[in-house]
Amino acid sequence: MPDNVGSWKPGPRVTELLFVDFDGLTADPDDVISDGLDGGYRERTKALREVLRDPGEDPAGRFLACVALTRWGDPVGYETVVQGAGSPESVPWRGAAYDRLYGHDDTFGVLADAVGDSSDMVEERGTADQRLEAAASLLNVADRVPFDRHISSLLHQDVVAACPDVIKATVARGVVRLTEESPRHDLGLQLALLIEAVGRVDRSWSEEAACHLAAAHPGERALKELSADRDGRPLG
């Protein structure tokens, strides 16, 4: 779970739902979410949905509720991700997670991990289509929002196969943005990872896109990714 949670004090509802495990012991939210995958999620889903939908709840608490529900393959979690990606600058929980190493908001990166990792729950929950929609919505804003390497969590084979056009459009916009401004986060790395992933299904496009990205001076990390791909490293 992100750094900010360590210094933030949750309210009583969020404490009970995500800081106490299924045996009644104090626990980290990551452990509670992981333990819930075995079926415990059923005990807490309704209450977490209420937290998520309550505008009076602390934004960081609502964010954690969204992460938990999304990781559990819940349709309300996916719906909230889609809504947030529709207007990422105005979601109330921006800043609830923060990447201290690179100095930027990390909330959408955490959600990308939750969406990507929830592939093991969608058959049980019947939410495969909702997961793909949530993944596509995040990929659609990867030219505007910091994800860093979390973007790779979305690049499962099924997601890439389902929305190559979304990724290609995002890369095109992102390359233009790099030529016109200097984003505070490492947009070049995110675009390089997207290009590599699409290379699994459209190698000719990825090679051309990599050339355009390299010409936009995307930064050292992006150039290393592109170089590793050209050297024959498996994509993804």
Side-chain angles (χ1 to χ4, degrees):
M1 197 53 63
D3 288 342
N4 284 22
V5 171
S7 59
W8 163 72
K9 186 175 181 180
R13 284 198 297 176
V14 175
T15 296
E16 180 180 356
L17 293 167
L18 291 174
F19 288 80
V20 176
D21 67 17
F22 296 92
D23 295 319
L25 302 175
T26 299
D28 183 88
D30 282 329
D31 294 330
V32 174
I33 293 171
S34 179
D35 290 345
L37 297 172
D38 293 329
Y41 71 85
R42 298 184 184 91
E43 302 174 19
R44 302 193 181 185
T45 290
K46 181 179 179 181
L48 283 170
R49 288 176 175 176
E50 292 172 355
V51 168
L52 182 57
R53 290 166 166 163
D54 184 356
E57 184 65 60
D58 185 281
R62 295 174 69 191
F63 173 70
L64 284 182
C66 183
V67 173
L69 290 170
T70 301
R71 179 63 186 89
W72 292 339
D74 188 82
V76 175
Y78 291 139
E79 177 185 348
T80 303
V81 171
V82 172
Q83 292 173 347
S87 184
E89 293 81 11
S90 62
V91 291
W93 32 257
R94 285 298 292 272
Y98 191 78
D99 187 325
R100 299 185 186 280
L101 179 60
Y102 295 108
H104 58 68
D105 173 80
D106 201 30
T107 48
F108 280 93
V110 174
L111 291 177
D113 288 340
V115 171
D117 293 345
S118 67
S119 59
D120 60 357
M121 291 294 290
V122 295
E123 182 176 354
E124 177 178 338
R125 306 297 306 276
T127 52
D129 290 345
Q130 291 95 323
R131 174 177 168 272
L132 288 177
E133 182 182 3
S137 73
L138 294 176
L139 291 167
N140 190 50
V141 295
D143 59 311
R144 299 161 50 196
V145 173
F147 286 93
D148 208 76
R149 290 193 178 276
H150 294 290
I151 199 71
S152 295
S153 295
L154 298 173
L155 300 176
H156 293 247
Q157 184 175 356
D158 63 328
V159 174
V160 175
C163 52
D165 292 341
V166 171
I167 300 174
K168 291 177 181 181
T170 296
V171 169
R173 293 191 305 268
V175 170
V176 171
R177 184 180 179 196
L178 282 175
T179 65
E180 297 179 345
E181 59 183 282
S182 299
R184 295 180 62 183
H185 63 281
D186 197 342
L187 175 57
L189 175 66
Q190 293 175 193
L191 298 178
L193 293 170
L194 294 176
I195 289 169
E196 291 175 3
V198 175
R200 296 196 295 259
V201 296
D202 191 341
R203 188 71 194 194
S204 62
W205 175 88
S206 70
E207 290 174 350
E208 181 178 359
C211 291
H212 290 311
L213 178 58
H217 307 290
E220 182 179 354
R221 297 168 78 206
L223 291 174
K224 285 183 177 179
E225 287 295 327
L226 297 176
S227 176
D229 181 26
R230 286 194 300 269
D231 290 341
R233 186 187 61 183
L235 294 169

